[in-house]
Amino acid sequence: MNRVRNSYWSGLALVAAVGVTGAGAAGADQPSNQELLDKVNALQAQVDQLKGQQQLKQDLDRVAGDKSTADSVQAEADRRSTLLTAEGFTSGYSDGKFLIQSGDGRYVLHPWLQLQFRDVTTYREDAQHNGRDNDTQNGFEIRRLKFGFDGNAIAPELTYALQFAVDRKTGVLSLEQAFGKYRIPNAGGLYVKGGQYKEPLDHEQLLASRYLTALDRTLSNDLFSNGEGFVQGISAGFDNGGPVRGEFAFTDGQRTANTNFQDFSTTPADWGVAGRAEYKIFGNWSDYDRTTGAYDTKSNFLVFGAGADYTEAGDTNSFVHVLDANYGSTRGLGVYGAYTGRAFNHAALGSIGSNGGTTGKTVGTDGYDWSFRGQVSYAIDTHWEPYVQYEFIHLDHSNFPAGAKNDIQVLRAGVNYYFHGTQARLTFDINYLPDGSPVSDDGIGILATGASTKTTGISHGGGNEFIARAQFQIAL
């Protein structure tokens, strides 16, 4: 600015000098007024040019300052982004799961939700008025509403699971699973587990209900394996990804979920032990762990399994044992079969499964129950998958009144329509029980037929039973 000001005054001084010179030099050639005006205009143009240069410099300095600020902001954002990647958490959707995890993989959180909305119609012959009249029951229910979290913490070897469910009859929220599992490093696949979890017994029982091919669990599973099969205890297992794996558990016994440390008869049992071993002929464990059918099977697999549970309650005890096999094909075929037996001594009255099924054992009796169940399914494409099931259950006659039916047959045919895999699907099935059932399992729609006795709750059976079920599932 000083330079501009000095140039301006220099121009004026030049003009004045020219004027003085012109006044004192008579007869000399003098510039005309126009020439003087042109010189003044030229000087003014130089002054304006210098002013413009000064303004340009100020504008450039301001822009440079703004760029410096922008660079600083960008550098800070880059630094924080780097910290988030290295030390913070990322989230995303992978393999059908929403995951939140740390950059190093030491912490993983997988939240999930399951909803099953169902309509059930049950028709029973000879079910009312002491077994002389027919009966039809129909209605809707929220069969399952569950949510939970699983993942790993501190290290990938330490995994956990928390699972809660809303009771379909009362709406009360309850805990189903809460356990931690630690895979011992450099131990060839050995792990330990503790908390409340599914006992290692039956393949159908161990599967999460959202992955079942059929609409629900079988009557055999509910009666012999206690439905979902949650127990409290500790276990040790072996799983290195090879063809053999297994787990052994020491527990509070069957039906002891959400109980305290006290023994029978305050709680359903004193103690129990359970174990299961599996042998994979071929295929991937991941396919076997998700289904008893063949939908979305990525490898042909064939697995044989065996499990057992011994539970003691006071002077009574039971020994449940299972043999099963499961085959799945990438071409859509799935085949599953299982034999289950249960020996009981001095049985307790009315052992109740988590799905509402009752064994109806008379106090002090001994006996042996057994069942066979089989399933065939075929995934036509990524949407349609029909299936059929058959169950034959023999309940020991020592617990039945004279003339009562103690054998149960269940024929079941259904079809799945997958909107988006098991995450959103619609299922329909029809169930037929020739001669009905002497015991109820309202969790799967089966109600006892015929007249019942007041002492055991077991009905005589004898009337046919038809059940139609429709269910929509969301599993996120």
Side-chain angles (χ1 to χ4, degrees):
M1 183 62 72
N2 291 334
R3 180 182 175 188
V4 174
R5 189 178 292 111
N6 292 338
S7 299
Y8 178 77
W9 288 110
S10 298
L12 292 180
L14 177 61
V15 173
V18 171
V20 171
T21 304
D29 293 335
Q30 299 180 1
S32 65
N33 290 336
Q34 184 61 44
E35 290 175 338
L36 292 174
L37 183 59
D38 291 341
K39 291 181 179 180
V40 170
N41 290 336
L43 291 172
Q44 182 63 44
Q46 293 179 4
V47 171
D48 292 342
Q49 184 179 4
L50 291 172
K51 287 182 177 180
Q53 291 176 353
Q54 182 67 21
Q55 183 62 42
L56 177 61
K57 182 177 182 302
Q58 292 177 353
D59 291 342
L60 289 174
D61 290 342
R62 178 177 56 79
V63 171
D66 291 344
K67 184 177 184 302
S68 177
T69 302
D71 290 343
S72 298
V73 172
Q74 183 62 46
E76 178 65 14
D78 292 341
R79 185 185 70 82
R80 295 189 179 187
S81 177
T82 301
L83 289 174
L84 181 62
T85 302
E87 302 175 6
F89 288 82
T90 60
S91 62
Y93 194 77
S94 175
D95 193 26
K97 296 181 179 181
F98 177 75
L99 300 175
I100 302 172
Q101 61 184 10
S102 61
D104 56 11
R106 294 190 303 122
Y107 293 87
V108 175
L109 175 67
H110 166 227
W112 60 269
L113 172 71
Q114 179 190 12
L115 169 65
Q116 290 182 343
F117 177 64
R118 182 181 300 179
D119 177 76
V120 181
T121 300
T122 300
Y123 170 79
R124 298 176 293 163
E125 295 180 346
D126 305 328
Q128 286 188 335
H129 301 99
N130 202 28
R132 292 191 298 270
D133 294 333
N134 301 332
D135 175 67
T136 300
Q137 303 284 333
N138 170 261
F140 296 99
E141 67 177 10
I142 303 297
R143 178 61 184 91
R144 289 181 176 91
L145 177 56
K146 301 185 179 186
F147 64 92
F149 311 89
D150 58 65
N152 57 265
I154 303 176
E157 296 81 10
L158 181 59
T159 57
Y160 66 89
L162 296 173
Q163 178 174 315
F164 302 88
V166 177
D167 187 274
R168 60 192 170 91
K169 295 181 179 179
T170 66
V172 174
L173 184 67
S174 64
L175 176 70
E176 287 194 337
Q177 294 197 89
F179 68 85
K181 177 180 175 182
Y182 182 66
R183 183 177 295 274
I184 303 171
N186 304 317
L190 294 176
Y191 64 86
V192 293
K193 182 167 66 175
Q196 182 165 297
Y197 52 88
K198 290 190 175 186
E199 66 170 340
L201 175 60
D202 184 316
H203 177 53
E204 180 188 343
Q205 166 204 32
L206 287 168
L207 286 174
S209 56
R210 60 184 176 274
Y211 293 136
L212 293 172
T213 298
L215 183 142
D216 210 323
R217 304 190 187 280
T218 60
L219 178 61
S220 299
N221 178 252
D222 284 353
L223 293 182
F224 291 85
S225 303
N226 192 36
E228 303 280 4
F230 299 116
V231 296
Q232 295 176 334
I234 56 175
S235 63
F238 168 80
D239 182 5
N240 64 358
V244 178
R245 67 182 187 181
E247 183 176 333
F248 176 81
F250 177 73
T251 73
D252 282 341
Q254 286 192 330
R255 298 179 298 278
T256 56
N258 297 322
T259 58
N260 67 358
F261 68 94
Q262 292 175 278
D263 293 332
F264 181 84
S265 61
T266 301
T267 57
D270 289 324
W271 60 277
V273 291
R276 179 173 172 84
E278 296 170 336
Y279 180 67
K280 175 168 61 76
I281 306 299
F282 52 80
N284 298 327
W285 286 117
S286 58
D287 292 318
Y288 174 74
D289 289 339
R290 290 176 63 93
T291 181
T292 57
Y295 172 79
D296 199 28
T297 297
K298 297 178 176 58
S299 69
N300 298 329
F301 69 88
L302 175 62
V303 178
F304 292 94
D309 171 274
Y310 175 83
T311 294
E312 192 168 289
D315 294 331
T316 72
N317 62 74
S318 67
F319 177 65
V320 179
H321 40 283
V322 180
L323 295 173
D324 53 50
N326 194 187
Y327 169 79
S329 167
T330 56
R331 295 189 176 183
L333 177 64
V335 181
Y336 171 75
Y339 171 86
T340 307
R342 176 178 55 198
F344 56 91
N345 295 304
H346 306 293
L349 175 66
S351 301
I352 300 176
S354 61
N355 276 355
T358 66
T359 61
K361 300 305 179 187
T362 305
V363 174
T365 59
D366 301 338
Y368 185 80
D369 303 327
W370 59 273
S371 78
F372 170 79
R373 57 200 135 127
Q375 172 183 291
V376 178
S377 63
Y378 184 74
I380 299 173
D381 53 29
T382 58
H383 293 294
W384 293 99
E385 183 186 36
Y387 63 88
V388 292
Q389 287 183 337
Y390 174 74
E391 298 181 70
F392 183 87
I393 302 171
H394 174 79
L395 300 176
D396 194 277
H397 63 85
S398 63
N399 287 276
F400 286 82
K405 298 287 186 179
N406 61 323
D407 292 336
I408 309 171
Q409 294 187 76
V410 183
L411 293 87
R412 188 176 292 116
V415 61
N416 290 303
Y417 182 80
Y418 298 95
F419 296 94
H420 188 70
T422 56
Q423 295 172 298
R425 66 168 167 170
L426 188 63
T427 306
F428 300 92
D429 73 9
I430 299 294
N431 302 255
Y432 172 58
L433 285 73
D435 297 328
S437 171
V439 296
S440 291
D441 187 354
D442 59 6
I444 60 175
I446 294 177
L447 301 176
T449 55
S452 63
T453 65
K454 294 182 179 180
T455 56
T456 65
I458 296 175
S459 73
H460 285 74
N464 296 328
E465 185 167 350
F466 298 88
I467 306 167
R469 304 181 298 183
Q471 177 176 279
F472 178 67
Q473 171 177 278
I474 296 177
L476 304 178

